[in-house]
């Protein structure tokens, strides 16, 4: 999740701790195209829940400004009086009741990211003008965290590398692994699993809206959260107020095509990183040309494939080295520091421990439930084998992994088709130009689907996530203005990235390597 990636120092520790001259009013949008799936609606349930929320204090270590509650929603929205799931919600009330506009819901991505305390995580970063106007509402989506959590009975070995590197010799084992994961999830969640989907989470959001007594909701979604937000606009266009979609998913590429795009973008990011590192050869000593830096990296990968590296007690093979660096190359100084440690480890020198993030059983289960339950995947293992062989050559950093066989190949067919997003709901999309996880082309795809939206692109922006993360003052100003006034820029906007620290300004650290995520969305 983003909290574990780009902004660990700003957000996670924080928990422990030029506008466009002409603007377009967001109230002037034409009526959006209706989604047939919105006929599975929440009216019956909403009427029963509007007065059911009882807010109380959260855990003892959570500030008193944060309140918590639970809300029952139908497992199957076609049967509103049937079996229920329990959602967990949090709230930080608007700081200035006189300026209060409504509620701002959050989703940090994933899919599988816990959003329950995301408002608290962001409260130190959001402008006061936003906190004055909105009740900040967090929630764990169905199946996630403490909201009727899923479990698939997976082990640490299953969870460490969900996207597995392709090898002819191990493909049969990978197929068996994927089948076993799918069968385990199905057996443990027979009644629930078919109903864990983005469309149903969007329907839950509308029940939350009604339970809060609001006519409309505003929303901030990151990474996968942009897809969730766009699906909500399609199902409930008249109930969407101000929607900020940060680091966007292309709704036409859900989900295998979207994951394969990571391999394409990783190659571009890798080339940019090797060029940067070569320009800073005086500091790092990895070579004066991109080719020399690249050769060093691949020599280390080959060494790790022959004999895994001991990275301070954590053992990495070549595929894990590739994935680790893939996360870091959008932050060149960090990746360069890591390359130095990898070189030392390959030479048998002791290095600090490389922290790793291994998802929990619930995180993996809820991730797979969405990835496999939103859209159909190929069911023939031969398709994955052919794609992996091809992409290992085209995109050597990560192509084999994201094209390899996946548990979704053995999942039950989704109950509903993937949502076609095509409407004129006003929304603001913000995007880094060089985000390799949700690339610019994906944000442009979402912009085409949301015809009433505007896209703010951060020129030369790197990393995953934009708003309030110190990426671009310009992009932050556009976003804050939209949340406060409801006005979008008159046209799409390109913003400059804020200056980043030079390579030689980084202080030495015994462990400069940030924790890598093992699952890609939301900042994973």
């Amino acid at each position: 999740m983003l909290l574990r990636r780009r902004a660990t120092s700003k957000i996670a520790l924080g928990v422990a701790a030029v506008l466009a001259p002409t603007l377009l009013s967001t109230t002037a949008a034409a009526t959006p195209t209706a989604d047939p799936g919105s006929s599975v609606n929440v009216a019956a349930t909403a009427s029963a829940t509007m007065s059911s929320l009882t807010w109380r204090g959260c855990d003892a270590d959570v500030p008193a400004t944060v309140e918590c509650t639970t809300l029952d929603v139908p497992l199957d929205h076609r049967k509103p009086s049937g079996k229920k799931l329990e959602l967990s919600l949090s709230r930080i009330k608007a700081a200035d009741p006189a300026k209060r506009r409504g509620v701002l819901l959050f989703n940090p991505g994933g899919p599988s990211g816990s959003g329950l305390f995301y408002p608290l995580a962001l409260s130190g970063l959001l402008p006061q003008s936003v906190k004055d106007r909105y009740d900040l509402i967090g929630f764990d989506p169905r199946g996630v965290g403490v909201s009727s959590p899923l479990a698939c009975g997976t082990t640490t070995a299953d969870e460490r590398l969900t996207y597995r590197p392709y090898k002819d010799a191990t493909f049969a084992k990978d197929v068996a692994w994927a089948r076993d994961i799918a069968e385990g999830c199905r057996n443990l969640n027979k009644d629930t699993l078919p109903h864990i989907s983005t469309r149903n989470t969007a329907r839950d959001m509308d029940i939350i809206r009604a339970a809060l007594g609001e006519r409309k909701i505003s929303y901030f979604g990151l990474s996968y959260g942009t897809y969730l937000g766009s699906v909500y606009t399609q199902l409930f266009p008249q109930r969407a107020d101000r929607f900020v979609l940060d680091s966007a998913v292309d709704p036409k590429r859900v989900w295998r095509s979207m994951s394969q795009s990571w391999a394409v973008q990783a190659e571009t990011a890798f080339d940019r990183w090797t060029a940067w590192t070569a320009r800073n050869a005086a500091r790092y000593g990895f070579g004066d040309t991109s080719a020399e830096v690249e050769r060093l990296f691949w020599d280390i990968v080959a060494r790790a494939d022959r004999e895994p590296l001991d990275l301070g007690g954590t053992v990495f093979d070549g595929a894990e080295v590739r994935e680790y660096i893939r996360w870091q190359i959008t932050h060149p100084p960090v990746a360069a520091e890591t390359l130095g440690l990898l070189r030392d480890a390959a030479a048998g020198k002791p290095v600090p421990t490389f922290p790793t993030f291994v998802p929990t059983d619930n995180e993996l289960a809820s991730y797979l439930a969405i990835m496999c339950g939103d859209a159909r995947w190929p069911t023939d293992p031969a398709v994955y084998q052919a794609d992996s062989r091809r992409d290992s050559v085209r995109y050597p950093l990560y192509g084999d992994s994201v094209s390899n066989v996946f548990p979704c190949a053995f999942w039950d067919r989704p109950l509903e088709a993937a949502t076609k997003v095509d409407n004129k709901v006003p929304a603001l999309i913000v995007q880094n130009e060089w985000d390799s996880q949700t690339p610019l082309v994906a944000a442009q795809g979402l912009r085409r689907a949301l015809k009433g939206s505007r896209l703010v692109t951060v020129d030369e922006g790197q990393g995953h996530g934009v708003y309030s993360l110190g990426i671009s003052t310009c992009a932050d100003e556009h976003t804050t203005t939209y949340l406060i006034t409801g006005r979008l820029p008159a046209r799409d906007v390109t913003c400059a990235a804020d200056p980043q620290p030079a390579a030689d300004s980084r202080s030495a650290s015994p462990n400069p390597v940030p924790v890598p995520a093992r699952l890609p969305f939301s900042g994973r």
Side-chain angles (χ1 to χ4, degrees), residues 149-492:
L150 293 175
C152 289
T154 56
T155 66
T156 300
D158 294 324
E159 295 153 0
R160 181 165 177 181
L161 274 182
T162 310
Y163 291 86
R164 297 189 161 206
Y166 174 81
K167 296 178 182 177
D168 283 340
T170 59
F171 183 67
K173 291 182 180 179
D174 291 340
V175 171
W177 167 83
R179 182 182 287 110
D180 288 347
I181 293 290
E183 289 178 355
C185 287
R186 185 182 302 114
N187 292 338
L188 288 175
N189 308 279
K190 184 177 180 181
D191 296 330
T192 303
L193 201 60
H195 302 286
I196 305 298
S197 68
T198 298
R199 290 171 72 88
N200 281 331
T201 300
R203 292 169 180 137
D204 293 345
M205 285 171 54
D206 207 56
I207 292 179
I208 293 172
R209 174 200 60 78
L212 293 170
E214 299 291 333
R215 187 173 63 87
K216 293 185 176 185
I217 57 170
S218 294
Y219 175 81
F220 176 84
L222 174 68
S223 196
Y224 161 76
T226 66
Y227 180 63
L228 173 59
S230 69
V231 170
Y232 185 91
T233 68
Q234 192 66 32
L235 296 181
F236 306 103
Q238 303 300 337
R239 298 170 190 166
D241 192 6
R242 299 167 186 179
F243 271 48
V244 175
L245 308 175
D246 187 334
S247 305
V249 169
D250 184 346
K252 287 187 176 181
R253 303 190 70 172
V254 173
W255 281 114
R256 187 167 188 247
S257 175
M258 191 69 202
S259 62
Q260 287 176 311
S261 75
W262 304 329
V264 182
Q265 300 303 319
E267 294 301 320
T268 301
F270 185 79
D271 290 344
R272 288 171 55 82
W273 169 64
T274 57
W276 182 94
T277 306
R279 290 196 301 271
N280 289 276
R283 175 174 175 80
Y284 297 110
F286 300 147
D288 296 323
T289 67
S290 295
E292 290 175 321
V293 177
E294 183 174 349
R295 187 180 312 117
L296 172 62
F297 173 76
W298 286 110
D299 285 348
I300 292 170
V301 169
R303 160 71 169 76
D305 277 332
R306 292 191 304 271
E307 182 182 350
L309 302 180
D310 182 352
L311 303 174
T314 304
V315 178
F316 273 38
D317 63 18
E320 291 171 308
V321 169
R322 286 190 280 136
E323 183 171 348
Y324 208 97
I325 209 74
R326 181 182 76 89
W327 274 110
Q328 297 185 338
I329 51 181
T330 53
H331 306 291
V334 175
E337 297 279 358
T338 298
L339 183 60
L341 294 177
L342 290 170
R343 181 177 61 178
D344 289 346
K349 299 177 181 179
V351 298
T353 300
F354 274 39
T356 58
F357 170 63
V358 178
T360 64
D361 182 17
N362 171 249
E363 288 174 313
L364 179 56
S366 51
Y367 178 82
L368 292 174
I370 294 294
M371 296 291 284
C372 308
D374 274 358
R376 298 189 69 183
W377 288 57
T379 58
D380 184 355
V383 172
Y384 297 90
Q385 185 172 42
D387 286 356
S388 294
R389 286 172 171 167
R390 177 199 65 206
D391 290 345
S392 65
V393 177
R394 288 181 176 179
Y395 315 114
L397 191 63
Y398 203 49
D400 61 326
S401 296
V402 290
S403 288
N404 200 3
V405 68
F406 200 63
C408 296
F410 304 102
W411 219 257
D412 290 340
R413 181 172 180 168
L415 294 180
E416 298 182 87
T419 304
K420 180 182 179 181
V421 177
D422 180 16
N423 63 60
K424 296 182 180 179
V425 172
L428 187 69
I429 305 165
V430 290
Q431 178 71 35
N432 281 321
E433 180 182 10
W434 298 115
D435 183 344
S436 60
Q437 197 61 34
T438 50
L440 178 59
V441 292
Q444 292 166 340
L446 181 58
R447 171 67 178 88
R448 289 189 294 271
L450 293 176
K451 297 175 175 59
S453 67
R454 296 293 181 268
L455 172 61
V456 176
T457 303
V458 182
D459 182 49
E460 297 292 316
Q462 300 190 73
H464 191 51
V466 178
Y467 185 48
S468 294
L469 296 180
I471 301 293
S472 169
T473 301
C474 166
D476 287 353
E477 289 176 344
H478 279 292
T479 306
T480 300
T481 295
Y482 169 63
L483 286 171
I484 293 173
T485 68
R487 295 192 301 270
L488 288 169
R491 59 189 64 84
D492 293 346

Side-chain angles (χ1 to χ4, degrees), residues 57-64:
C58 304
D59 294 340
D61 58 348
V62 176

